[in-house]
């Protein structure tokens, strides 16, 4: 998880880490092979302590021998490195109309994956039972069992109280309010289950894979709904009740009175989400019953479709401009099905952001399309689990 910096950060704080296998493991999570002498130098632990902790980690399979290094005389010293195959993670990305489910290793590498149409309005029992069945099949295909799991990570399209994993008044998820998602899925998988907003998960995934060195960024998903995952000072921001980043229900600046599902009018989601753009085109006489038809129309070069999509980008950008002035991110990543409409949508966003934000805030700002090919949600759900499950305390618990 982003909050848990390892490698150089952990090394610099090595003398302050608890004297435990979990603490030593944090120094090996970057995958770089190290000798016992390297670890002793980084931590200040006694050689005997290092040897004991290394043996504990080897027995748990969380690290593995990585060969021998060059000797300066005598027997070449052995090196050890993180073993991402030691456990598996089940990653679930739920959208308004789809589910993407994957089995990953501990480095978020996808081992098996499946995407399926799944309407979130069917309710929690039907949707989560379908997730359980598909996930069980994927585990079997990957040659893994529930006993191999470090945990399950789930991204859902609504505000989540992160401490409990329960949704709070989700606008597009009838029947899900305060439903015990971890408790229901635990019938299938008796392991730690972490639930977060889907866009928070996407922000984690995009950051981990494409922007690990960026400390301040946003991931914006524009699909059935609109939301943002905010990473500030290297930390994912949840807010007091888990509602941080709910861009979709900020009013756009032009005084639009379009009704929104939340009960207000003029919300960004009501004018710039996938369904909203499709509705505008239908009102102009186009046959766009779903997202796929919208994208096909845009890609055909239809001028009215391009104009509508670009205006949706401007609307998104008009709200993001305030975020840029407030948060000063260096990268904004745009994802979700509407983002696949191409450069016209991104151009509209850039046009509004750069014209409405302060020059200092946009001096080095990059606004880019997602680089994870639709996998940001599952990569982030996996990172959510490994960040929690591979913490000092939980590694010590696994070994104990």
């Amino acid at each position: 998880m982003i909050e848990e910096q390892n490698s150089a950060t952990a090394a610099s704080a090595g003398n302050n880490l608890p004297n435990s296998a979990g603490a030593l493991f944090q120094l090996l999570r970057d995958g770089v092979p190290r000798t016992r002498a390297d670890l002793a130098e980084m931590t200040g632990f006694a050689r005997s302590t290092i040897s004991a902790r290394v043996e504990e980690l080897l027995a748990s399979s969380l690290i593995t021998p990585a060969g021998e290094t060059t000797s300066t005389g005598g027997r070449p010293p052995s090196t050890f490195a993180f073993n991402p195959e030691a456990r598996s993670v089940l990653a679930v990305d739920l959208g308004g109309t789809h589910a993407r489910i994957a089995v990953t290793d501990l480095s978020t590498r996808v081992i098996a994956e499946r995407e399926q149409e799944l309407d979130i309005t069917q309710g929690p029992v039907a949707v989560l039972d379908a997730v359980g069945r598909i996930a069980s099949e994927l585990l079997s295909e990957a040659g893994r069992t529930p006993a191999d799991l470090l945990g399950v990570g789930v991204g859902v399209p609504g505000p989540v109280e992160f401490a409990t994993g329960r949704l709070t008044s989700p606008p597009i998820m009838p029947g899900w309010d305060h439903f015990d998602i971890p408790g229901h899925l635990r019938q299938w998988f008796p392991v730690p289950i972490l639930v977060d907003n889907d866009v928070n998960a996407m922000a984690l995934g995009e950051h981990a894979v494409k922007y690990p060195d960026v400390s301040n960024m946003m991931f914006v998903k524009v699909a059935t709904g609109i939301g943002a995952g905010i990473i500030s000072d290297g930390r994912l921001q949840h807010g007091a009740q888990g509602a941080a980043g709910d861009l979709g229900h900020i009013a756009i600046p032009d005084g639009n009175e379009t009704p929104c599902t939340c009960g207000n009018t003029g919300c960004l989601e009501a004018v710039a989400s996938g369904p909203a753009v499709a509705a505008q085109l239908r009102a102009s006489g186009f046959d766009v019953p779903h997202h796929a038809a919208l994208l096909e129309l845009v890609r055909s070069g239809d001028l009215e479709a391009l104009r509508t999509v670009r205006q949706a980008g401007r609307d998104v950008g008009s709200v993001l401009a305030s975020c840029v002035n407030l948060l000063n991110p260096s990268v904004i990543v745009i994802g979700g099905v509407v983002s696949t409409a191409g450069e016209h949508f991104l151009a509209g966003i850039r046009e509004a952001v750069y014209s409405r934000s302060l020059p200092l805030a946009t001096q080095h700002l990059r606004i880019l399309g997602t680089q994870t090919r639709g996998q940001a949600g599952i990569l982030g759900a996996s990172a959510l689990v490994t960040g929690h499950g591979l913490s000092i305390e939980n590694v010590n618990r696994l070994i104990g």
Side-chain angles (χ1 to χ4, degrees):
M1 203 169 178
I2 291 174
E3 291 89 337
E4 295 170 1
Q5 303 294 324
N6 46 38
S7 64
T9 302
S12 65
N15 291 329
N16 297 320
L17 290 172
N19 185 343
S20 68
L24 193 67
F25 175 71
Q26 305 309 310
L27 302 179
L28 292 162
R29 280 187 63 182
D30 60 5
V32 176
R34 294 184 173 90
T35 65
R36 290 180 174 87
D38 293 333
L39 295 169
E41 182 178 353
M42 294 172 73
T43 62
F45 296 167
R47 291 290 184 96
S48 58
T49 300
I50 293 293
S51 292
R53 300 299 178 251
V54 165
E55 291 306 316
E56 290 174 343
L57 291 169
L58 286 170
S60 72
S61 298
L62 287 173
I63 67 171
T64 188
E68 296 178 338
T69 189
T70 304
S71 174
T72 57
R75 182 178 178 181
S78 299
T79 62
F80 308 92
F82 174 40
N83 176 23
E85 297 291 326
R87 300 283 192 284
S88 301
V89 173
L90 192 58
V92 181
D93 173 27
L94 293 178
T97 57
H98 79 282
R100 188 186 290 262
I101 303 167
V103 178
T104 78
D105 66 12
L106 297 182
S107 65
T108 72
R109 181 180 68 87
V110 175
I111 300 168
E113 179 183 4
R114 188 179 303 174
E115 183 173 7
Q116 181 165 320
E117 290 186 5
L118 193 58
D119 188 348
I120 204 76
T121 63
Q122 291 180 21
V125 173
V127 170
L128 294 176
D129 282 350
V131 167
R133 288 191 296 270
I134 295 168
S136 296
E137 293 171 5
L138 280 178
L139 278 173
S140 180
E141 288 175 16
R144 313 295 169 95
T145 70
D148 298 321
L149 290 174
L150 181 69
V152 179
V154 185
V156 292
V160 175
E161 186 181 56
F162 186 66
T164 65
R166 296 175 186 243
L167 286 135
T168 303
S169 303
I172 64 170
M173 300 175 69
W176 288 79
D177 189 30
H178 285 94
F179 186 83
D180 186 6
I181 298 173
H184 192 84
L185 283 177
R186 208 166 282 118
Q187 301 174 54
W188 297 81
F189 311 106
V191 295
I193 296 174
L194 301 178
V195 183
D196 205 343
N197 175 264
D198 61 343
V199 191
N200 284 342
M202 291 175 177
L204 282 176
E206 197 85 18
H207 182 275
V209 175
K210 297 296 180 179
Y211 305 100
D213 299 323
V214 173
S215 296
N216 298 281
M217 66 173 281
M218 296 177 65
F219 185 99
V220 180
K221 177 186 177 185
V222 185
T224 304
I226 300 177
I230 302 167
I231 293 170
S232 181
D233 244 0
R235 292 178 176 271
L236 181 66
Q237 303 300 312
H238 286 99
Q241 274 76 46
D246 196 353
L247 289 185
H249 299 287
I250 297 176
I252 62 173
D254 68 359
N256 188 292
E257 293 297 319
T258 304
C260 182
T261 56
C262 73
N264 288 321
T265 59
C267 292
L268 180 62
E269 186 173 297
V271 299
S273 65
V277 173
Q280 292 168 38
L281 288 170
R282 285 196 297 272
S284 299
F286 291 92
D287 181 21
V288 280
H290 43 62
H291 290 158
L294 166 62
L295 297 178
E296 184 178 342
L297 189 62
V298 170
R299 289 165 183 163
S300 73
D302 182 272
L303 292 180
E304 180 65 16
L306 294 176
R307 185 197 67 78
T308 303
V309 165
R310 184 159 186 142
Q311 182 56 46
R314 292 190 190 101
D315 291 333
V316 172
S318 69
V319 171
L320 281 178
S322 297
C323 299
V324 168
N325 287 335
L326 183 66
L327 300 172
N328 191 203
S330 55
V331 174
I332 298 177
V333 179
I334 309 296
V337 66
V338 179
S339 74
T340 61
E343 280 297 316
H344 288 277
F345 183 66
L346 284 174
I349 293 175
R350 292 181 183 123
E351 177 186 336
V353 169
Y354 288 120
S355 65
R356 290 173 177 262
S357 301
L358 293 172
L360 181 60
T362 58
Q363 185 176 7
H364 301 294
L365 175 65
R366 291 177 289 164
I367 302 174
L368 309 162
T370 176
Q371 300 294 305
T372 53
R373 297 175 310 217
Q375 288 189 320
I378 55 172
L379 296 175
S382 177
L384 191 67
V385 171
T386 56
H388 172 266
L390 298 180
S391 65
I392 292 174
E393 297 80 5
N394 284 321
V395 168
N396 289 336
R397 193 173 296 118
L398 279 173
I399 291 173

